[in-house]
Structure formats: C-alpha cells, structure tokens
Amino acid sequence: MNRSRRLLLVVDAPSLLHRNHHARAHTKLMDRSGRPAWALHGMLRQIIEAIERFAPDAVIFGLDDRRASVRADLYPAYKAGRAEKDAALVDQLERAGAFLDALGLATLTPPGLEADDVSASGARWARDHGWNCVIVTSDRDSFANISDHTQVLRLINGGIDGSPLLNPARLLSMYGVAAEHYLAFAALRGDPSDNLPGVAGIGEKTAAVLLTQAGSMETVWADIDHNEGRTLAATLDSWAVETGSRRMGATIVRRLAAPEARERFEFNVQMMSGRDDLELGLTPDVPGTPGLLPLDLGRINTVVGYLGVESTTTLAVRVLSTDPASSALR
C-alpha cells in the first residue's frame, strides 16, 4: 500500500474473541478482579502485533449488537445451529467494548447490526477520506470489502505474521474471482456458518467460473430473461472446450433459471451485504480523540496492566505510545 496515505485498522472484535477463547481457554487467565480474560488478552495481543506491523493512524473495533438483530428479524433461522456460547466467552464479549474504550481505542456497536457492518463502513470511510484500510478478522465475510485501498488480514493458526494479507490479486488467485464480484460469489455459494444455503447446484468452482466468464450476475440474469440463457451456455461451453473441462452450459443455465435460484441469490446478497454508511465517529483532525494513535501512556499502563500480563503491558507501552508511520510524512 502507498503509505503516503493514512491507514485505518478495522478490527472484527467478536471473531477474534471467539478464536482466542477457544485457542487460549487452557491458560485460564484471569484479570486482577478474578474474571476470565484469556480471550480479551489474546485479542489485544494480536491487535498490538498488528499495530506494530502496520503502524496505523487510527483503530476502530466493530462489535455485534448482542440484544437485537436486523438479519435475524428478517430470517429467524439466521445462524441457527451454532453451539451455545460458553459463559466465560459471553462475559468477555460483554466487557470488550468498555475495555477497549477505557484504553482509548474507538469501538462501535451498531444497533441491530454486526461487526461486519462496521468493517464495510470502515472500508468506505477510508476510501471517502483518502485513507487506506486493513480489516483484521478471522472470517471470510469481509472479503467483499477488498479493493485497491482495502486489504483483509485473515487471522488463521499462524497468528499475525503467519496469516494471509489479502488484496485483489491474492483474492483472485485463491478463489478465482475478482474482488468486485466476491459478494455475488458468496451469495451463490452460500454460508453454512450463518445457515444460508447457496443456489442449488452452484458450488464454489462453478460460481467462480460463472462470474469470470459472464462478467456479472446482472449479465447472467439478463441473458436468462431475454435470451433463454443461450449466450451464457455458449460462453461456458466455450470455456470448457478451452480448458478441457466437461461442458455444462445448459445444465448451469437450467439451474439458474429455476425461480428459487434467483430468489435465493438475491436473499443471500441482502443478508450478506455489509452496511457501509454507519457513522464511525472518527475525527482524525482532533488529537486525542478515541481511536487515534498514539494512545495515552497512563491509560495503557492502567488498562492493559489490569490483565496482569507484564510482557503484554510492556509491549503495549512500546507499540501503542509510538507515532504512526505516516507521521514522518507530514
């Protein structure tokens, strides 16, 4: 990324808390009040490492509204089938916002919405303000926000340094689909973790080929509506001949022409689309406001110190009190 532009780090806090809860529960770490803190500590440690790596100018954490859900109101089966959350994880999810606010980092819990909506809004905010953006998450949902100004660091087992940083080129190499088509790709494929079935008969590979060869789902639906899908079938069969694959143009057209196919696709797009118009409350020209780096040294010592891990407090003091990389360019 061009570091002549300032950088916003957007953190999907619930996904990191879930991941660290399961990865670090064996530590049984408690804060100074005796409450479980291993997920909070793990998330904070990873974000400090991310801040050290990327030297952002501002950091905002997206949180889920745990008491209301616009998506569940629309689709009561949304996320059905997930195991009930452990009480220690719930406790840390509930405390995360206050903990991060006390540290001086910005948080946003949008009413009825989720951290994914904060990620989408963060990417748009960065674009509109001439910033770059890195979204830190362990989920794939944020891939739809990838662009020339927004990358996604997807945390996997290797931690910050061992996790892939996805830009449009790397997303294309991994999934065979351009960044601007990822939402359509996901809607065709579906998302079992959210209990959202995909379009029947259209898996990941077929979805990627369909979008790459047709250009967009708008083109697909238009050809099906006005030309019975003949151009689409011919395009897909031509691709099959060139690549030595089995010709399935007519079969794919038939699957997509089924009335429930478009309904499922459009419903999934609606459910998967992140709200990108949330007010983040970032005021980058007002020093000392929440989310801007560096943070107050006294807050760092007090809040991080409350977790009772001396090495993390030392790391936090060193990293969070340091000016961002772009400060040298001003």
Side-chain angles (χ1 to χ4, degrees), residues 227-239:
N227 194 33
E228 297 182 344
R230 293 187 184 92
T231 301
L232 175 62
T235 299
L236 294 173
D237 284 344
S238 176
W239 171 86

Side-chain angles (χ1 to χ4, degrees), residues 3-15:
R3 281 317 306 262
S4 63
R5 294 160 64 100
R6 288 192 280 183
L7 177 65
L8 173 65
L9 196 70
V10 184
V11 183
D12 177 356
S15 76

Side-chain angles (χ1 to χ4, degrees), residues 86-97:
D86 182 81
L89 172 59
V90 172
D91 180 71
Q92 293 173 86
L93 286 166
E94 296 284 358
R95 293 157 53 205

Side-chain angles (χ1 to χ4, degrees), residues 16-255:
L16 268 64
L17 286 164
H18 277 81
R19 188 170 189 84
N20 279 285
H21 170 70
H22 297 294
R24 298 172 181 262
H26 67 281
T27 68
K28 300 189 182 303
L29 177 70
M30 301 290 176
D31 64 22
R32 296 196 186 281
S33 69
R35 298 179 73 175
W38 56 83
L40 283 169
H41 172 256
M43 176 188 69
L44 180 64
R45 183 88 190 194
Q46 288 180 326
I47 294 309
I48 294 171
E49 292 170 359
I51 291 171
E52 183 173 38
R53 173 176 173 181
F54 295 108
D57 296 80
V59 183
I60 185 167
F61 288 75
L63 296 161
D64 296 342
D65 184 345
R66 295 179 42 76
R67 289 161 182 77
S69 171
V70 170
R71 292 177 176 89
D73 289 344
L74 180 65
Y75 178 48
Y78 183 57
K79 297 187 178 181
R82 292 190 178 187
E84 186 174 347
K85 292 182 178 64
D86 182 81
L89 172 59
V90 172
D91 180 71
Q92 293 173 86
L93 286 166
E94 296 284 358
R95 293 157 53 205
F99 174 80
L100 295 166
D101 287 339
L103 187 54
L105 294 167
T107 66
L108 180 59
T109 307
L113 298 174
E114 305 172 8
D116 291 336
D117 299 292
V118 180
S119 296
S121 293
R124 179 175 176 179
W125 185 95
R127 181 197 70 195
D128 291 348
H129 288 78
W131 288 39
N132 288 327
C133 179
V134 171
I135 298 171
V136 184
T137 181
S138 63
D139 296 334
R140 297 185 296 181
D141 298 337
S142 288
F143 290 1
N145 300 308
I146 292 174
S147 69
D148 289 339
H149 72 272
T150 295
Q151 299 183 68
V152 172
L153 181 69
R154 189 187 184 197
L155 290 186
I156 52 177
N157 294 334
I160 293 294
D161 291 333
S163 297
L165 181 62
L166 304 181
N167 57 20
R170 191 160 189 182
L171 183 71
L172 179 62
S173 70
M174 288 178 62
Y175 290 97
V177 63
E180 61 266 28
H181 297 317
Y182 185 82
L183 177 60
F185 168 78
L188 288 166
R189 177 197 62 202
D191 188 347
S193 69
D194 287 342
N195 197 32
L196 291 170
V199 174
I202 307 295
E204 278 200 1
K205 291 182 179 179
T206 301
V209 170
L210 178 66
L211 289 163
T212 300
Q213 297 303 310
S216 71
M217 286 307 294
E218 288 77 13
T219 301
V220 169
W221 300 129
D223 190 55
I224 289 173
D225 288 342
H226 303 297
N227 194 33
E228 297 182 344
R230 293 187 184 92
T231 301
L232 175 62
T235 299
L236 294 173
D237 284 344
S238 176
W239 171 86
V241 170
E242 291 174 6
T243 59
S245 304
R246 184 159 60 98
R247 294 175 61 172
M248 291 188 62
T251 300
I252 293 172
V253 168
R254 185 171 62 252
R255 290 170 178 170

Side-chain angles (χ1 to χ4, degrees), residues 277-292:
D277 59 348
L278 301 178
E279 176 55 56
L280 301 185
L282 294 173
T283 53
D285 296 323
V286 183
T289 55
L292 299 188

